[in-house]
Amino acid sequence: MSMAVQLSGLWLPNSPTLPGHFLQCPRTNPKPFPTALAATASLSSAPPTIQIVGGKTPSWYENGNANSKDGCQGETDWVDLDADLYHWTKALRPVQWYPGHIAKTEKELKMQLKLMDVVIEVRDARIPLSTSHPQMDAWLGNRKRILVLNREDMISTADRNAWATYFARQGMKVVFSNGQHGMGTMKLGRLAKALAAGVNVKRRAKGLLPRAVRAGIVGYPNVGKSSLINRLLKRRMCPAAPRPGVTRELKWVRFGTELELLDSPGIIPMRISDQSAAIKLAICDDIGERSYDVADVAAILVQMLTRLPSVGTKSLYNRYKIDVDGQCGKIFVQKLALNLFNGDIHQASFRVLSDFRKGKLGWLALERPPR
C-alpha cells in the first residue's frame, strides 16, 4: 500500500514520513516586538565624524531590478520582520556554539590587544549587527578601530549604502571588502597605517627608532579574517576555508616593513542570548553546523526571503518550481525534499542554505540598520 503525506491540503503519494520536530508555521499575527531585544541590536555611539572608505554616495534605497546586485529591496518593514523572526525562534532548540579553543583564545587575545596600535574588526556585511561581539567595545576601550564589512559582493548597493550611512553616523571608520577577490584590502592597509601614524611620531620624539604598526584582526568565526590577510599579503600565510573554526591560534604576520598583522580565531560569546541573531549566524554559515538543526534554519530562511521584495515567493518559485504556501517555510522545504531529494529533508534544507550562501537567491542583507 502506498504511503501519503498531507502538506497543507496537498496530498503527495509515495512519500516517506517527515520529521515532527519541524518549525511550526505562523498562523496568527505576531506579538509586538520586545523592546529589550531591539535594544540589543544597537551599537555604541561616537562623535559624528564621517569617514567611509570606497563606495558611492550613501542613500537608503535605489531604483532598479529587484533581483540584481544593484537593485532596490523596497520599503520593507524590517521591524515587523525582526518581530516575526523573534517569535519563529521561540519554539526552537536554542542555538549555542562554543568550541573549547575559543575560551583559551579569548584570554590570549585580550592580552594581545593591549599591544595593538589599531584593531580591525571584521563583520559579515549580510548581518553586521549579529556579527558584533557584545563585549568588543569593553575590550577595545579607546583603542583606534577600523570596521570591515566583508562579503560586500553578497549584498545589494542599497544595503551597502544603508550600512555606510548608519556607521558613518556612529562615527566609525568603515571599509567594505571582498576577501575572496581582494577588494578593499589595500585601502584597509593604508587606513591602518594612517590611523597609527602617531605611534612613530611619539617614538621619534623620545629618540626611539620607528617600528611597524601593529594591527589586530578580530571578529566572529568565518567572517573572512584570514582571507583578508592572505589577500593583503598577496600570498597564503594564514589557513582559510569557508567554514567556521579553521583558525585555532593567534598568529603574527608581517606586511612589508610598516605593518604587522595579528590573525586570530573567531571569537563568539559563550552564550548567545539573542536567538534571532543566532539563527542569522546559522543561515550565513558563521557558526558551527552542529549547533543548529538545518531543517529549522532553512525553513526560517524561506520565511524571511518571502518577506523581502528582492526575493519573494515568485523568485523562490522561479528557482525551485515550488509554490510557497502562506509564506510557510516548513511546507516549502518538505515539498522540495519530496520533489528533488526523495523525501530527504536534510538534503533539501542544505540546498536552500547553500543557494543563499552562494548568492543564487539574490544579493541581499538579512539586516537593515536600526531606525
Side-chain angles (χ1 to χ4, degrees), residues 18-337:
L18 298 171
H21 71 280
F22 232 38
L23 172 73
Q24 295 299 314
C25 298
R27 296 180 182 177
T28 59
N29 293 330
K31 300 177 182 178
F33 187 52
T35 55
L37 181 63
T40 62
S42 63
L43 297 177
S44 59
S45 300
T49 55
I50 298 178
Q51 183 168 356
I52 301 296
V53 180
K56 304 175 183 178
T57 303
S59 61
W60 283 103
Y61 299 102
E62 297 179 359
N63 296 323
N65 186 329
N67 289 318
S68 70
K69 184 180 187 302
D70 295 326
C72 172
Q73 288 195 5
E75 185 63 43
T76 304
D77 193 337
W78 287 80
V79 175
D80 284 351
L81 178 57
D82 286 343
D84 285 344
L85 180 57
Y86 172 79
H87 289 284
W88 294 338
T89 60
K90 286 185 69 175
L92 304 182
R93 173 174 61 88
V95 175
Q96 301 293 344
W97 187 66
Y98 196 73
H101 72 275
I102 289 185
K104 177 183 177 182
T105 300
E106 183 177 307
K107 182 178 180 181
E108 294 176 350
L109 179 61
K110 285 189 284 188
M111 295 178 60
Q112 292 291 336
L113 286 176
K114 298 175 183 178
L115 306 176
M116 298 295 104
D117 302 314
V118 60
V119 174
I120 300 169
E121 182 188 0
V122 184
R123 300 186 194 175
D124 190 323
R126 297 168 295 179
I127 48 171
L129 297 181
S130 295
T131 46
S132 171
H133 197 292
Q135 293 179 280
M136 189 61 68
D137 288 343
W139 291 345
L140 301 187
N142 295 324
R143 195 163 283 102
K144 295 176 181 178
R145 183 198 315 196
I146 302 170
L147 178 61
V148 175
L149 297 186
N150 195 32
R151 300 194 180 107
E152 73 152 334
D153 57 310
M154 300 192 72
I155 63 175
S156 70
T157 302
D159 290 326
R160 185 190 190 284
N161 289 341
W163 284 111
T165 301
Y166 173 76
F167 285 118
R169 290 172 178 168
Q170 297 289 322
M172 302 185 72
K173 296 174 176 61
V174 180
V175 174
F176 287 85
S177 71
N178 176 354
Q180 292 297 319
H181 298 96
M183 295 170 57
T185 53
M186 298 309 296
K187 296 175 184 176
L188 175 60
R190 290 195 298 268
L191 183 55
K193 294 175 187 177
L195 282 180
V199 172
N200 284 320
V201 172
K202 293 179 181 178
R203 289 180 63 85
R204 291 190 185 94
K206 295 178 182 179
L208 301 174
L209 294 174
R211 62 163 173 80
V213 170
R214 297 168 183 160
I217 298 185
V218 300
Y220 269 47
N222 203 34
V223 293
K225 300 182 297 296
S226 297
S227 295
L228 277 175
I229 292 178
N230 290 336
R231 282 292 178 179
L232 190 61
L233 302 178
K234 297 182 179 180
R235 60 186 184 277
R236 187 179 178 86
M237 293 293 294
C238 303
R243 64 180 186 276
V246 173
T247 303
R248 289 181 170 265
E249 59 183 21
L250 279 71
K251 181 178 181 180
W252 283 98
V253 292
R254 180 176 285 271
F255 178 51
T257 60
E258 299 178 311
L259 185 63
E260 289 181 340
L261 300 169
L262 177 66
D263 184 27
S264 65
I267 301 296
I268 199 166
M270 181 177 294
R271 180 173 180 80
I272 305 175
S273 57
D274 184 350
Q275 284 299 296
S276 296
I279 289 294
K280 285 183 273 191
L281 291 172
I283 290 172
C284 295
D285 201 22
D286 294 332
I287 194 171
E289 188 175 329
R290 293 182 180 180
S291 67
Y292 58 88
D293 185 278
V294 176
D296 286 341
V297 172
I300 287 184
L301 172 60
V302 170
Q303 289 173 194
M304 293 181 71
L305 295 179
T306 62
R307 299 284 299 275
L308 302 180
S310 59
V311 183
T313 59
K314 184 176 181 180
S315 294
L316 287 169
Y317 177 81
N318 289 340
R319 177 155 189 83
Y320 300 108
K321 306 306 178 187
I322 297 173
D323 288 320
V324 182
D325 294 334
Q327 299 182 341
C328 183
K330 168 187 173 181
I331 293 177
F332 182 88
V333 174
Q334 289 174 344
K335 287 182 178 181
L336 182 63

